[in-house]
Amino acid sequence: MRKMGSVPISEVVSCLDGYDPDALHVEKAREAMRACIAPITDTELLPVRQSLGRILAQEIVPAINVPAHDNSAMDGYAVRFADLGAPLTEIGTALAGKPFHGSVGAGECVRVMTGAVMPPGTDTVVIQEVVKREGKTITVPPGQKRAQNVRYAGEDLKIGVPVLAPGKLLRPAELGLIASLGIGEVRVMRRLRVAFFSTGDELASIGTALKEGEVYDSNRYTLHGMLSRLGVEITDLGVVRDDPAALEAALRKAAQADAIVTTGGVSVGEADFIRALLAKLGEVLFWKIAMRPGRPMAFGRIGNAWLFGLPGNPVAVMVTFYQFVRDALLHLGGRRGDDVVPLLRATAADNIRKVPGRTEYQRGILFREQGEWRVRITGQQGSGVLRSMAEANCFIVLEHERGPVKAGEQVQVQLMEGLA
Ligand code: AMP
Ligand code: MG
């Protein structure tokens, strides 16, 4: 089991500059979570193919050069640069995987294919398209450069020079790179275990008829999707009634995971009995974040599990997940360095309402018009309107201090592809 720091969360966050739980800036909330959470340390050894999407837990240091030999980058003739200016005699052929074994003397050259080891004595490759060939006599035009079209041993990866660091996400390129070193197994961080449930007396599960005042529980489905895409092991604990005993039982079960995500029940009014319950089971802070949607949020820990108490509104769930939980889980899972989703610039196609003093995540559609990337909002932006997420391909991220946006102004967008 993971060792938890003994420092109370409240102590860690109170040391952060400008920490105000009742008007917390988005960046500060993210920083606070990172400051509290120590990454897991358990690892496992996996065959390279199965490591796709996992976090590297070791340093990769080449034991061989890649490529292992100097070789030709083109189809052509391997020559001694100093001999150019006079016709050359072709004395053999080298193919990829079939080297030429003789040595190349003055006035001689070897026919080479891409990937062929450079024949001993040669230093330059002349592409086949420019030479004149009569029988075994090769004439090379002037204007060649010494060492052209040669790939050197170790040009890609050098013996002893670390190439991948722990914390790196393993993508297709990394799998290939590891394989190019002849390595068959890699050590990766173990998968995180995340348990989640929805709270609310008004929630109906799919398969039952809706009674008056009920809504189908959609949050567990978006959460299932978002967590699955992050590559964590999930435990779906279903719908839990707004009832202290039921909530306590669910939280105790969920606390066996590395992290717990709940939705609903953190807004004012509902929070009171939950506050008391959470205080009994662990340490949980209630935040009002200066953002929209997603203002109320709880963060803390219960036993060994980190708790993320998200608002109930379906859009707020997605926004707070992407802006906080995603980042916190990547950090907890051991990812380092390359985990920031870039903000790109686009031109606002319409006026956008915005009040200063909070960061807004409006749902947008990024499109190309007359050679320019423009973005418009997806109609209704209510935090209960999940359709706005389904229609969107990006968030329009309107900064904390910013006021109303006029059509034609530049805004920041964050593509949803890449967030998950
Ligand atoms: P709450 O944060 O619990 O006050 O919920 C805020 C709003 O989100 C209410 O309208 C809830 O009905 C709605 N809501 C809460 N949980 C869910 C859920 N799992 N699926 C769909 N809507 C929900
Ligand atoms: Mg509720």
Side-chain angles (χ1 to χ4, degrees):
M1 185 142 287
R2 188 159 34 95
K3 275 239 290 287
M4 306 303 303
S6 49
V7 189
I9 297 174
S10 54
E11 222 166 89
V12 177
V13 298
S14 65
C15 295
L16 302 171
D17 275 355
Y19 172 77
D20 175 1
D22 291 321
L24 199 57
H25 283 226
V26 167
E27 289 77 25
K28 201 49 73 180
R30 222 178 267 137
E31 187 189 333
M33 290 180 188
R34 283 198 170 225
C36 294
I37 295 172
I40 58 164
T41 52
D42 300 340
T43 64
E44 62 182 316
L45 200 60
L46 287 183
V48 176
R49 276 197 191 94
Q50 286 175 35
S51 71
L52 182 66
R54 302 292 293 272
I55 310 298
L56 188 63
Q58 65 171 106
E59 193 171 55
I60 300 287
V61 184
I64 57 168
N65 281 324
V66 179
H69 309 277
D70 297 350
N71 68 84
S72 175
M74 302 293 277
D75 293 346
Y77 292 86
V79 303
R80 300 150 50 112
F81 184 76
D83 295 353
L84 293 181
L88 303 172
T89 305
E90 179 186 331
I91 59 164
T93 302
L95 308 175
K98 290 214 170 59
F100 173 77
H101 288 296
S103 71
V104 182
E108 295 176 338
C109 68
V110 173
R111 174 107 176 97
V112 287
M113 295 296 157
T114 305
V117 173
M118 288 296 285
T122 64
D123 56 16
T124 300
V125 171
V126 181
I127 59 170
Q128 61 188 10
E129 288 81 355
V130 302
V131 305
K132 259 212 336 256
R133 184 178 179 185
E134 286 175 78
K136 294 287 174 199
T137 303
I138 305 298
T139 310
V140 175
Q144 310 303 320
K145 292 199 184 75
R146 183 187 292 275
Q148 71 189 13
N149 303 321
V150 178
R151 299 188 290 217
Y152 289 99
E155 185 177 288
D156 185 353
L157 306 173
K158 260 199 184 55
I159 291 179
V161 179
V163 56
L164 297 177
K168 183 100 173 73
L169 172 71
L170 297 175
R171 305 166 304 164
E174 284 75 26
L175 263 54
L177 189 147
I178 291 166
S180 78
L181 292 168
I183 298 172
E185 286 185 319
V186 274
R187 189 156 286 285
V188 298
M189 304 303 296
R190 74 159 167 82
R191 276 186 204 281
L192 287 182
R193 294 183 290 268
V194 181
F196 62 101
F197 58 85
S198 299
T199 68
D201 288 336
E202 77 282 27
L203 301 180
S205 291
I206 292 176
T208 62
L210 275 189
K211 297 200 202 73
E212 193 188 353
E214 288 188 339
V215 292
Y216 283 118
D217 172 13
S218 61
N219 288 345
R220 270 192 304 130
Y221 290 80
T222 44
L223 274 178
H224 171 93
M226 294 187 294
L227 287 166
S228 298
R229 284 237 183 146
L230 274 189
V232 303
E233 276 172 29
I234 56 180
T235 306
D236 181 345
L237 294 173
V239 173
V240 179
R241 300 289 143 208
D242 290 322
D243 159 65
L247 271 169
E248 178 167 350
L251 284 165
R252 284 190 189 279
K253 204 178 212 177
Q256 288 162 23
D258 300 300
I260 308 167
V261 182
T262 67
T263 68
V266 288
S267 53
V268 190
E270 282 189 297
D272 288 350
F273 85 88
I274 292 184
R275 252 175 225 262
L277 175 63
L278 292 174
K280 179 175 121 186
L281 298 178
E283 189 194 2
V284 178
L285 308 178
F286 283 76
W287 286 340
K288 291 195 184 79
I289 301 179
M291 71 186 293
R292 185 169 147 134
R295 198 164 104 93
M297 210 191 128
F299 168 68
R301 84 182 157 218
I302 292 185
N304 279 342
W306 293 100
L307 175 91
F308 303 92
L310 308 185
N313 272 311
V315 180
V317 168
M318 296 197 76
V319 170
T320 49
F321 182 92
Y322 284 138
Q323 297 306 323
F324 304 117
V325 183
R326 175 185 179 278
D327 185 74
L329 291 181
L330 293 181
H331 177 69
L332 179 62
R335 178 121 165 230
R336 269 174 248 163
D338 60 345
D339 50 0
V340 176
V341 183
L343 290 169
L344 310 173
R345 290 165 75 79
T347 306
D350 313 296
N351 296 339
I352 305 175
R353 273 188 284 177
K354 163 74 169 69
V355 291
R358 65 189 187 202
T359 307
E360 291 195 13
Y361 295 88
Q362 303 218 7
R363 278 69 70 205
I365 299 172
L366 190 65
F367 61 100
R368 205 164 154 78
E369 196 175 70
Q370 291 160 1
E372 185 186 38
W373 286 101
R374 298 163 73 80
V375 66
R376 63 183 160 82
I377 57 172
T378 59
Q380 270 234 51
Q381 293 284 312
S383 67
V385 183
L386 198 50
R387 188 163 54 88
S388 69
M389 281 296 296
E391 287 173 358
N393 60 11
C394 68
F395 286 114
I396 305 171
V397 183
L398 300 174
E399 305 85 338
H400 188 90
E401 306 302 345
R402 189 155 188 173
V405 176
K406 288 206 179 64
E409 285 180 14
Q410 294 288 297
V411 290
Q412 303 194 93
V413 299
Q414 188 172 52
L415 291 179
M416 284 177 182
E417 210 50 58
L419 267 174

